[in-house]
Amino acid sequence: MRLTVFGTGYLGATHAACMAELGHEVVGVDVDPGKVAKLSDGVTPFYEPGLEEVLRRNLDAGRLRFTTSYPEAADHADVHFLGVGTPQKKGEYAADLKYVHAVVDSLAPLIERPSVIIGKSTVPVGTAAELGARARAAATAEVEVAWNPEFLREGFAVQDTLRPDRLVLGVDSARERADWVAELVREVYADLLAADVPYLQTDLATAELVKVSANAFLATKISFINAVSEVCEATGADVTVLADALGYDARIGRRFLNAGLGFGGGCLPKDIRAFMARAGELGADHAVAFLREVDNINMRRRTKVVDMAAKACGGSLLGANVAVLGAAFKPESDDVRDSPALNVAGMIQLHGAVVSVYDPKALENSRRVFPTLNYATSITDACDRADVVLVLTEWAEFTALRPEDLNPVVRSRSIIDGRNCLERARWRDAGWVYAGLGTP
């Protein structure tokens, strides 16, 4: 099939490349000529394992190309995926839909034959219906809007696109062409459906709520174990062993029960806040009021680590040398949006410390957000003469660290494990002062 994908950020570029990998002829569209040029050369503007190989393979095969031209895209296909960002509005919790509206407003007048716009972006419930009316008012041909939310995990995005754990499609069943829309989407994903990927067809509102509800649940699970870790810290209990015990309960499961610095990134924080904002607009704010405490617990973990760093430096960070290992919000990503690690590094610097940050992939993005921090080129460079070392992103090269790797370079043998990812006995046996979150 011939498809377009509007937006070539993390979601859009991944979806475009993977749809081409499934055999479709795909045009990726973006208003940023720089992004289009990079992608056309086979270079991703962000780090995602395996994506560049898929991108280059399909560029070389002629199944994938990128453009800034909306007329070219409108002429190319009848199936248009919408994968632009929906960031948090400045000064508000609500999602900013200006990029979504811009695509629809620019594309719809160019559509000259029956077409469908399929949303992938995470949007407030009710957006799809509004976009449908908006598109039909501007188009000269029949236009339908459906919603097919993404469930990508950074670091596993290619896998999650080519072999997702489910496909959800929301359609407006009141529209005459609803069955036509569903059939088109089933054709797009024919290989996945043949591989028995679960497929759920819903109304528009349900499809919009699936993604944000999933993110709210995961955020709640993470904040739950972090709330328990606060009790563990007050009692001397061990949250890691407690989480293992909870995880054996099939109703609960072990995943996302890792106490530590908490969640960040471009999805969970802004999505739960947008969920709260939309619920308030619908008069149902009481139903998700608990998410405010989920958010509060998550942010408290960051200030807790800053306090732990000050304690490790004798009660004050003024003039201390602090090594921060990790800047991305999670390993296998260069994404620093709302990164707990980078947030903590910035707060520690504001307390008067000299902060040296090292991350295997996220240094360039970090410099754009916090240009005043010092950025190291290696672990040993970051830890040179450090009074305390903070492990804040669980990259494999950090979890594999041994005390003897750092003994010759640090000024003080003190380490804070912000992800509870190190073997604390090894560090303590080697004479280090080890501190974790929710652990004795």
Side-chain angles (χ1 to χ4, degrees), residues 3-7 15 19 24 79-84 103 107 116-120 148 185 188-189:
L3 313 174
T4 66
V5 179
F6 287 82
H15 192 68
M19 290 302 98
H24 302 299
V79 179
H80 306 286
F81 282 97
L82 178 59
V84 295
V103 170
L107 174 63
V116 58
I117 299 172
I118 304 170
K120 298 291 296 179
N148 171 220
V185 174
V188 169
Y189 293 126

Side-chain angles (χ1 to χ4, degrees), residues 23 263 302 338 355:
F263 58 82
R302 304 182 187 191
D338 206 354
V355 182

Side-chain angles (χ1 to χ4, degrees), residues 111-402:
I111 292 175
E112 297 179 345
R113 57 187 184 271
S115 301
V116 58
I117 299 172
I118 304 170
K120 298 291 296 179
S121 307
T122 304
V123 295
V125 61
T127 301
E130 184 266 326
L131 289 178
R134 192 177 187 125
R136 286 187 285 273
T140 57
E142 289 186 74
V143 180
E144 303 297 334
V145 170
W147 221 260
N148 171 220
E150 56 88 8
F151 303 102
L152 305 188
R153 298 167 297 163
E154 294 196 34
F156 302 90
V158 172
Q159 172 188 322
D160 289 344
T161 305
L162 295 177
R163 284 295 178 267
D165 52 18
R166 77 280 207 195
L167 288 167
V168 177
L169 175 67
V171 297
D172 185 349
S173 58
R175 300 283 302 167
E176 288 185 7
R177 300 182 73 91
D179 290 341
W180 173 75
V181 171
E183 187 58 35
L184 275 179
V185 174
R186 290 179 68 88
E187 188 177 347
V188 169
Y189 293 126
D191 287 355
L192 306 188
L193 296 175
D196 294 326
V197 172
Y199 172 80
L200 296 89
Q201 187 169 317
T202 74
D203 56 84
L204 292 173
T206 300
E208 290 168 313
L209 283 169
V210 169
K211 174 63 186 296
V212 71
S213 298
N215 279 353
F217 184 84
L218 295 178
T220 301
K221 194 171 183 181
I222 295 167
S223 283
F224 167 80
I225 199 63
N226 276 330
V228 172
S229 77
E230 294 182 3
V231 179
C232 290
E233 289 160 8
T235 60
D238 189 334
V239 75
T240 59
V241 178
L242 187 153
D244 287 341
L246 288 175
Y248 283 110
D249 189 327
R251 299 168 301 174
I252 298 172
R254 184 62 177 82
R255 296 183 66 194
F256 291 90
L257 276 183
N258 295 314
L261 190 52
F263 58 82
C267 290
L268 261 62
K270 63 105 175 167
D271 285 353
I272 65 170
R273 292 164 190 161
F275 197 9
M276 286 188 280
R278 183 57 176 149
E281 292 169 357
L282 295 170
D285 51 321
H286 57 284
V288 294
F290 70 95
L291 289 177
R292 190 173 297 275
E293 183 56 20
V294 166
D295 206 0
N296 287 336
I297 292 167
N298 190 55
M299 299 307 293
R300 281 205 304 270
R301 294 287 81 188
R302 304 182 187 191
T303 55
K304 172 68 176 180
V305 171
V306 175
D307 293 342
M308 291 168 70
K311 181 180 178 182
C313 295
S316 173
L317 287 164
L318 188 63
N321 288 338
V322 178
V324 171
L325 302 183
F329 86 96
K330 64 178 289 187
E332 299 301 330
S333 173
D334 64 353
D335 194 345
V336 298
R337 290 175 294 176
D338 206 354
S339 168
L342 199 56
N343 188 200
V344 166
M347 286 193 287
I348 288 174
Q349 184 191 51
L350 289 174
H351 281 75
V354 177
V355 182
S356 294
V357 179
Y358 171 68
D359 188 284
K361 295 293 181 182
L363 292 184
E364 185 178 339
N365 289 339
S366 300
R367 284 191 183 97
R368 285 196 284 265
V369 177
F370 276 105
T372 59
L373 294 171
N374 297 320
Y375 293 99
T377 57
S378 67
I379 293 173
T380 53
D381 184 22
C383 295
D384 184 40
R385 302 183 73 248
D387 295 300
V388 63
V389 177
L390 279 62
V391 178
L392 302 185
T393 308
E394 58 270 47
W395 285 96
E397 67 179 281
F398 301 159
T399 61
L401 266 178
R402 300 169 302 173

